[in-house]
Amino acid sequence: MSALRIRSSAVAVVRAGPRRLAGWLLLAASAAAVLVNLNPALGEASRRVFTPDVWGVYGLVLGVACLLNAYFGPDRAPRRSELLAATLEIDADAVTLDRGNQRERVPRQKLEGGYLDVSRDERWAVLRRRGADAVWIRVRDVDEGRALLRAAGLAAEQHVFRTYLVSVAEEILTPGARLAAWLVVTYGAVALCWSGSRGLGSDAHPAVIAAAIGLACMVVYAVLKLALPRAALVGTDGVALKSFRARRFIPYADIAAVRADGRGVWLERRGGQPVLLATVPRLSRRLLQSAPSGARLGAATEVLLARLNEAMAVAERSDVSAARFAELDRRGRPIDTWRRALERLARGAPGAADYRRADVTADDIARMLDDVTALPERRIAAAIALAASDDPALRGRVRIAAGACANEALRHALEKAAEGELEAADVELAERAHARAAR
């Protein structure tokens, strides 16, 4: 991770706090309104359809929607009034912004991601901070943007890129259908709350109470599964898809091509159905027909497509000849015996003659670590060897490889190897995850 100093004509720090605060205030005020009106003396539930407590429920739903957008929505582009010329310095410890009378230092450990946005008329490098604040930096060209991300340790070959996708409901339902579903959920919540408060009194049978609680849990689970946004993690080994209580990993070996349209990015799988990474909610047929032909893709779609193409190019370059690495394999050895043999290899100690006969150098092992087409066991073996090296640069490559891995089980195993805490269960979990993805 090299140092970098550039001068940009426009830099802005876009804060996420105001949007989140507005959502929480709306949610709190609406919850207070509902609690104030939870009084059985006010009448039957059927007479409350247009009383303030129903509007409180509306406010609760709207507050949740605002919070979902604030936490999982796309990064807000900076306003013109927020842009200032600045000097950007990136070193091993922090990213420093110097905007004349304003100087801000962001520790590198507080950066959680970065990407290039070339969907607009200008090119931007975006650094995400933990807490969803984003630093937008105008760059001269794509090469300068990539150099900036690489210096920050956030390039495609260094770090997993996370982006949020629309929910299942937004992907499959048109705007009218989503509005109808919102009304059904809102009025259904009001009806269930009031009927529950009347029917589940102290004299209710325990079985009835248990059935009602079970039904409520099922409804909540279904709503969360349909309404919560999903996430796509783009690494150098493949794409991981995360949704509520579900995980899926698609290695690049299974992807024949990627393409984009007005709905998002499509992964064309070899011998399987294409997978849509939906970045845009579904539109009605009338809106689709009224859209001009040749219209530009959405910003989120273009950012995701560019990062996928870049990560897949890194994966293609990382393929190395693995035939001479057979001596790195575990071959049924206990985890401690295997680790000691790999550590002797890294330090060039006696007992590593088999590896030297195979002409395996430290650079070869580093390339094996970066080879996303290699078996998980060999990448983990390379991580163990490099983590025991006396060269800090080689040890650092293990953490970089782990940070760029989208396969959660393999990333965890590489991180444990970097810390010297790898266990047999970690290796087995990574191999099972790889086998599931290969099916």
Side-chain angles (χ1 to χ4, degrees), residues 272-327:
Q273 293 295 322
V275 177
L276 172 62
L277 309 181
T279 58
V280 179
R282 182 179 177 183
L283 301 177
S284 65
R285 182 172 298 181
R286 179 179 59 82
L287 291 175
L288 287 174
Q289 292 174 346
S290 62
S293 59
R296 296 181 64 174
L297 299 173
T301 303
E302 291 203 11
V303 167
L304 177 56
L305 178 63
R307 189 59 177 246
L308 270 168
N309 285 327
E310 189 175 357
M312 292 178 71
V314 171
E316 290 176 0
R317 293 196 302 267
S318 69
D319 188 15
V320 298
S321 176
R324 58 197 176 97
F325 288 89
E327 292 295 337

Side-chain angles (χ1 to χ4, degrees), residues 58-80:
Y58 284 150
L60 287 175
V61 175
L62 185 58
V64 170
C66 291
L67 287 174
L68 288 176
N69 181 67
Y71 280 90
F72 305 112
D75 295 323
R76 178 180 68 80
R79 304 183 184 94
R80 290 290 176 184

Side-chain angles (χ1 to χ4, degrees), residues 3 90 107 127 146 188 200 296 346 385 400 411:
I90 303 177
L127 306 180
R146 287 176 176 168
L200 299 180
R296 296 181 64 174
I400 292 174
R411 181 172 68 251

